[in-house]
Amino acid sequence: MEIWAIVMFVAAIILLMLGYPVAFTLGAIAMLFGSIALGFDFFTLLPLRIWGIITNFTLLAVPLFIFMGVMLEKSGIAETLLETMGRLFGRVRGGLALSVILVGGLLAATTGVVGATVVTMGIIALPSMLKHGYAPSLATGTIATAGTLGQVIPPSIVLILLADQIGVPIGQLFVAAVVPGTLLLVFYAIYVLAIAWAKPDTAPAIVADRAGLWLAVLKSLVPAFILITAVLGSIFFGIASPTESASIGCVGACLLALAHGKLTLENVHEAALQTMKLTSMVFIILIGATAFGLVFRGMGGDSLIHQIFTNLPGGKWGFIVVSQLLIFVLGFFLDFVEICFIVVPLLAPIAVFLQLDLLWFALLISVNLQTSFLTPPFGFSLFYLKAVAPKEVRIQQIYRRPTATCRLRRPLLPCPRRLQVQKRHRLLLRCHRLAATPPPPSMSLHHRLLLRRRRQAAVPPPLWPPHRLPPRQLMPPSQ
């Protein structure tokens, strides 16, 4: 019977990787294998499970937070924050990228909707960053990474789903997620500043108008901080439950939209329609995953998984390493909702058996799930950004920098061969930047763009192009 459970699990993963709809794939696999191995009478328990999902008061916060995020996206607060932060940090090298990260953190603490955040910042910030000479890979990577902070910083839909699946209070998980979310934001900012310091041409400083800047900063930041305090403060201090605070956030989002003149019937209708679509998607996937989990446990699959993970070498640390590696690999191919509803219910009982801190374990999973939005080939943030990026930005450039930021979760070890290639390209750039000859084919695209930009400047060519001289005459004659 346990063999049937493993075959069912493998078949579901393969079909999901092939692109079949998640909810219907899980439900169909469960009905097929359940009817063969357990009989149709086994599914008399399924309606009770579905009724428990529909009447779950905790999951009521999902549509409320989604509506709050979509309404804030319609209110235009993101445009105001990006414009103000760009003026504030523009004079700093890498200031535009730093402002995108800070605005991404603020939007994460108010909306928690990744798609809307990435699309909004991609439309507003990406053309400005490319216009001011930012490397395409750094600009797109910064926007995609900052947009996914909403998966870790509360209020987050991922945290709500994890709290429901693992069995921890949402309020405590929100409080615990503040520290890792803030650390991620700080690490991203340090990474961008380090890149700007090491490669000044990839993130130049800009000249921004600073007239009336501090008044504009107050006008843009104060409403956002009031909404964050109203939503998260009511949870942290025990004034309201997460579901009740989500309703407060919906009212606050509508008031902000009214203040910006965006509270129209059309915007409210679009926000309600998008909320209905996203909520229906989450719940239909949850129903399919419930049927899948019911059949999987009925065939003894949970006992088999329990035996495998509890007998790993290293005890609880071996389980932590293997489970997080499994989630990381599945994140390349599956969405966070699928991982939450398929994999996490199998790992949670083992974490309880090994006496792990469930809050800490849930935070590990949430940070790990953030990479599922950034890792190719199915990183959804990358697809969102490509849909709004200019035509000259290629998908390879979008893939490059988010994959690099994923490595911030492990020690940053430089690759010797990569450093040698970059050093050789910089030497080639130094020799060819003022010459009239084309660069060699081995030069990377980034250095080719730098060469083209410098040649477009009105700088006369030198009298002695070093690449045309014999090797013994590479240096000019001494005076």
Side-chain angles (χ1 to χ4, degrees), residues 11 46 54 69 84 121 179 290 292 307 312 337 340 436 444 449 474 477:
L46 185 59
I54 300 301
T84 306
M121 292 197 298
V179 174
T290 300
F292 182 87
Q307 293 176 7
L312 289 173
V337 179
C340 281
S444 65
L449 293 176
L474 282 178

Side-chain angles (χ1 to χ4, degrees), residues 50-51 64 76 101-102 147 204 261 267 271 283 292 338 350 354 372 396 431 449 469 472:
I50 297 176
W51 177 254
L64 293 175
I101 292 175
L102 294 179
N267 286 339
F283 276 84
F292 182 87
E338 304 159 17
I350 306 173
L354 295 175
S372 66
Q396 291 84 356
C431 295
L449 293 176
L469 298 179
R472 63 178 180 273

Side-chain angles (χ1 to χ4, degrees), residues 34-79:
S35 59
I36 294 174
L38 302 173
F40 287 102
D41 293 337
F42 180 79
F43 291 100
T44 56
L45 301 174
L46 185 59
L48 297 177
R49 294 289 189 94
I50 297 176
W51 177 254
I53 294 171
I54 300 301
T55 57
N56 191 340
F57 183 74
T58 302
L59 294 178
L60 185 59
V62 173
L64 293 175
F65 278 124
I66 291 176
F67 180 83
M68 181 185 76
V70 177
M71 202 64 210
L72 282 175
E73 186 262 334
K74 300 290 184 184
S75 68
I77 187 174
E79 292 90 334

Side-chain angles (χ1 to χ4, degrees), residues 319-340:
F319 164 71
I320 292 172
V321 171
V322 174
S323 62
Q324 298 305 312
L325 183 62
L326 174 65
I327 293 175
F328 179 77
V329 173
L330 290 178
F332 281 82
F333 308 100
L334 303 180
D335 191 15
F336 74 96
V337 179
E338 304 159 17
I339 297 176
C340 281

Side-chain angles (χ1 to χ4, degrees), residues 31-224:
M31 294 295 293
L32 176 62
F33 282 86
S35 59
I36 294 174
L38 302 173
F40 287 102
D41 293 337
F42 180 79
F43 291 100
T44 56
L45 301 174
L46 185 59
L48 297 177
R49 294 289 189 94
I50 297 176
W51 177 254
I53 294 171
I54 300 301
T55 57
N56 191 340
F57 183 74
T58 302
L59 294 178
L60 185 59
V62 173
L64 293 175
F65 278 124
I66 291 176
F67 180 83
M68 181 185 76
V70 177
M71 202 64 210
L72 282 175
E73 186 262 334
K74 300 290 184 184
S75 68
I77 187 174
E79 292 90 334
T80 305
L81 286 173
L82 282 171
E83 180 183 356
T84 306
M85 293 296 104
R87 293 172 57 192
L88 181 62
F89 296 103
R91 296 193 299 177
V92 181
R93 188 182 298 169
L96 285 181
L98 183 62
S99 64
V100 167
I101 292 175
L102 294 179
V103 171
L106 289 174
L107 293 179
T110 52
T111 64
V113 180
V114 172
T117 304
V118 173
V119 170
T120 301
M121 292 197 298
I123 294 175
I124 301 169
L126 183 56
S128 178
M129 297 175 75
L130 296 177
K131 176 183 176 182
H132 289 93
Y134 275 67
S137 59
L138 179 62
T140 55
T142 303
I143 293 174
T145 306
T148 57
L149 287 172
Q151 298 299 302
V152 182
I153 298 177
S156 168
I157 304 301
V158 173
L159 296 178
I160 297 174
L161 299 180
L162 285 176
D164 179 70
Q165 295 297 315
I166 296 179
V168 294
I170 297 180
Q172 295 182 15
L173 189 57
F174 276 4
V175 175
V178 172
V179 174
T182 306
L183 286 177
L184 273 179
L185 191 148
V186 172
F187 288 159
Y188 292 156
I190 294 175
Y191 178 81
V192 166
L193 293 178
I195 292 293
W197 178 81
K199 301 177 181 179
D201 296 319
T202 62
I206 65 172
V207 179
D209 182 18
R210 302 180 67 86
L213 175 60
W214 295 108
L215 181 60
V217 170
L218 289 177
K219 287 183 178 180
S220 60
L221 289 182
V222 168

